[in-house]
Coordinates of all heavy atoms in Angstrom, one line a residue:
H20 N -6.3 -10.4 -6.4 CA -6.9 -11.6 -5.8 C -7.2 -11.3 -4.4 O -8.3 -11.8 -3.9 CB -5.9 -12.7 -5.9 CG -5.9 -13.5 -7.2 ND1 -5.1 -13.2 -8.2 CD2 -6.8 -14.4 -7.6 CE1 -5.4 -14.0 -9.2 NE2 -6.4 -14.8 -8.9
A21 N -6.4 -10.7 -3.6 CA -6.6 -10.4 -2.2 C -7.9 -9.6 -2.1 O -8.8 -9.8 -1.2 CB -5.5 -9.7 -1.6
I22 N -8.1 -8.6 -2.9 CA -9.2 -7.7 -2.9 C -10.5 -8.4 -3.3 O -11.6 -8.2 -2.7 CB -9.0 -6.4 -3.7 CG1 -7.9 -5.5 -3.0 CG2 -10.3 -5.6 -3.9 CD1 -7.3 -4.4 -3.8
Q23 N -10.4 -9.3 -4.3 CA -11.5 -10.1 -4.7 C -12.1 -10.9 -3.5 O -13.3 -11.1 -3.4 CB -11.2 -11.0 -5.9 CG -11.0 -10.2 -7.2 CD -10.5 -11.1 -8.3 OE1 -10.3 -12.3 -8.1 NE2 -10.2 -10.5 -9.4
I24 N -11.2 -11.5 -2.7 CA -11.6 -12.3 -1.6 C -12.1 -11.5 -0.5 O -13.1 -11.9 0.2 CB -10.4 -13.2 -1.2 CG1 -9.9 -14.1 -2.3 CG2 -10.7 -14.0 0.1 CD1 -8.6 -14.8 -2.0
K25 N -11.4 -10.3 -0.2 CA -11.8 -9.5 0.9 C -12.0 -8.1 0.4 O -11.0 -7.3 0.2 CB -10.7 -9.6 2.0 CG -11.0 -8.8 3.3 CD -9.9 -9.0 4.3 CE -10.2 -8.2 5.5 NZ -9.1 -8.3 6.5
K26 N -13.2 -7.7 0.2 CA -13.5 -6.4 -0.4 C -13.0 -5.2 0.3 O -12.8 -4.1 -0.3 CB -15.0 -6.3 -0.6 CG -15.7 -7.4 -1.5 CD -15.1 -7.4 -2.9 CE -15.7 -8.5 -3.7 NZ -15.1 -8.7 -5.0
D27 N -13.0 -5.3 1.7 CA -12.5 -4.1 2.5 C -11.1 -4.3 3.0 O -10.8 -3.9 4.1 CB -13.5 -3.9 3.6 CG -13.6 -5.1 4.5 OD1 -13.1 -6.2 4.1 OD2 -14.2 -4.9 5.6
F28 N -10.3 -4.9 2.2 CA -8.9 -5.2 2.6 C -8.0 -3.9 2.4 O -7.4 -3.7 1.4 CB -8.3 -6.3 1.8 CG -7.2 -7.0 2.5 CD1 -6.7 -8.2 2.0 CD2 -6.5 -6.5 3.6 CE1 -5.6 -8.9 2.5 CE2 -5.4 -7.2 4.1 CZ -5.0 -8.4 3.6
G29 N -8.0 -3.1 3.4 CA -7.3 -1.8 3.3 C -5.9 -1.8 2.9 O -5.4 -1.1 2.1
E30 N -5.1 -2.8 3.5 CA -3.7 -2.9 3.2 C -3.5 -3.3 1.7 O -2.5 -2.8 1.1 CB -3.0 -3.9 4.1 CG -1.5 -3.9 4.0 CD -0.9 -4.8 5.0 OE1 -1.6 -5.4 5.9 OE2 0.4 -5.0 5.0
A31 N -4.4 -4.1 1.2 CA -4.2 -4.5 -0.2 C -4.5 -3.4 -1.1 O -3.8 -3.2 -2.1 CB -5.2 -5.7 -0.5
Y32 N -5.5 -2.5 -0.8 CA -5.7 -1.3 -1.6 C -4.5 -0.4 -1.5 O -4.1 0.2 -2.5 CB -7.0 -0.6 -1.1 CG -8.2 -1.2 -1.6 CD1 -9.0 -2.0 -0.8 CD2 -8.7 -1.0 -2.9 CE1 -10.2 -2.6 -1.2 CE2 -9.9 -1.6 -3.4 CZ -10.6 -2.4 -2.5 OH -11.8 -2.9 -2.9
F33 N -4.0 -0.2 -0.3 CA -2.8 0.7 -0.1 C -1.6 0.2 -0.9 O -1.0 1.0 -1.6 CB -2.5 0.6 1.4 CG -1.3 1.5 1.7 CD1 -1.4 2.8 2.0 CD2 0.0 0.9 1.9 CE1 -0.3 3.6 2.3 CE2 1.1 1.7 2.2 CZ 0.9 3.1 2.4
N34 N -1.3 -1.1 -0.9 CA -0.2 -1.6 -1.7 C -0.4 -1.6 -3.2 O 0.5 -1.4 -4.0 CB 0.1 -3.0 -1.2 CG 0.7 -3.1 0.2 OD1 0.9 -2.0 0.8 ND2 1.0 -4.2 0.7
R35 N -1.7 -1.8 -3.5 CA -2.0 -1.7 -5.0 C -1.8 -0.3 -5.5 O -1.4 0.0 -6.6 CB -3.4 -2.2 -5.2 CG -3.7 -2.4 -6.7 CD -5.0 -3.2 -7.0 NE -6.1 -2.3 -6.7 CZ -7.4 -2.6 -7.0 NH1 -7.6 -3.8 -7.6 NH2 -8.4 -1.8 -6.8
A36 N -2.2 0.7 -4.6 CA -2.0 2.1 -5.0 C -0.5 2.3 -5.2 O -0.1 3.1 -6.2 CB -2.5 3.0 -3.9
N37 N 0.4 1.7 -4.4 CA 1.8 1.9 -4.6 C 2.2 1.3 -6.0 O 3.1 2.0 -6.7 CB 2.5 1.1 -3.5 CG 4.0 1.3 -3.5 OD1 4.5 2.2 -4.2 ND2 4.7 0.5 -2.7
I38 N 1.7 0.2 -6.3 CA 2.0 -0.4 -7.7 C 1.6 0.5 -8.8 O 2.3 0.8 -9.7 CB 1.3 -1.8 -7.8 CG1 1.9 -2.8 -6.9 CG2 1.4 -2.3 -9.3 CD1 3.3 -3.3 -7.2
Y39 N 0.3 1.0 -8.7 CA -0.2 1.9 -9.7 C 0.7 3.2 -9.9 O 0.9 3.7 -11.0 CB -1.6 2.3 -9.5 CG -2.6 1.2 -9.8 CD1 -3.6 0.8 -8.9 CD2 -2.6 0.6 -11.1 CE1 -4.5 -0.2 -9.3 CE2 -3.5 -0.4 -11.4 CZ -4.4 -0.8 -10.6 OH -5.3 -1.8 -10.9
S40 N 1.1 3.7 -8.7 CA 2.0 4.9 -8.8 C 3.3 4.6 -9.5 O 3.8 5.4 -10.2 CB 2.2 5.4 -7.4 OG 3.1 4.6 -6.7
K41 N 3.8 3.4 -9.3 CA 5.1 3.0 -9.9 C 4.9 2.8 -11.4 O 5.9 3.0 -12.2 CB 5.6 1.7 -9.3 CG 6.2 2.0 -7.8 CD 6.7 0.7 -7.2 CE 7.2 0.9 -5.8 NZ 8.3 1.9 -5.7
I42 N 3.8 2.4 -11.9 CA 3.6 2.2 -13.3 C 2.8 3.4 -13.9 O 2.3 3.3 -15.0 CB 2.8 0.9 -13.6 CG1 1.4 0.9 -13.0 CG2 3.6 -0.3 -13.1 CD1 0.6 -0.4 -13.3
Q43 N 2.8 4.5 -13.2 CA 2.3 5.7 -13.7 C 0.8 5.7 -13.9 O 0.3 6.5 -14.7 CB 3.0 6.2 -14.9 CG 4.5 6.4 -14.7 CD 4.9 7.4 -13.7 OE1 4.3 8.5 -13.7 NE2 5.7 7.0 -12.7
N44 N 0.0 4.9 -13.3 CA -1.4 5.0 -13.4 C -1.9 5.7 -12.1 O -2.5 5.2 -11.2 CB -2.0 3.5 -13.4 CG -3.5 3.5 -13.7 OD1 -4.2 4.6 -13.5 ND2 -4.0 2.4 -14.1
L45 N -1.7 7.0 -12.2 CA -1.9 7.9 -11.0 C -3.4 8.0 -10.6 O -3.8 8.1 -9.5 CB -1.3 9.3 -11.2 CG 0.2 9.3 -11.4 CD1 0.7 10.7 -11.6 CD2 0.9 8.6 -10.2

């Protein structure tokens, strides 16, 4: 949702990357 509202939201991409790494979507 954060990225949908703000396309260049670097911190949201960074934290989402963390989530994906935890659920093994490398």
Side-chain angles (χ1 to χ4, degrees):
H20 273 98
I22 290 166
Q23 285 172 7
I24 297 167
K25 184 179 179 181
K26 302 299 182 185
D27 59 347
F28 201 170
E30 189 175 356
Y32 281 103
F33 179 85
N34 289 359
R35 191 171 72 172
N37 187 12
I38 293 286
Y39 281 131
S40 71
K41 289 182 180 297
I42 62 175
Q43 300 302 308
N44 188 342
L45 297 179

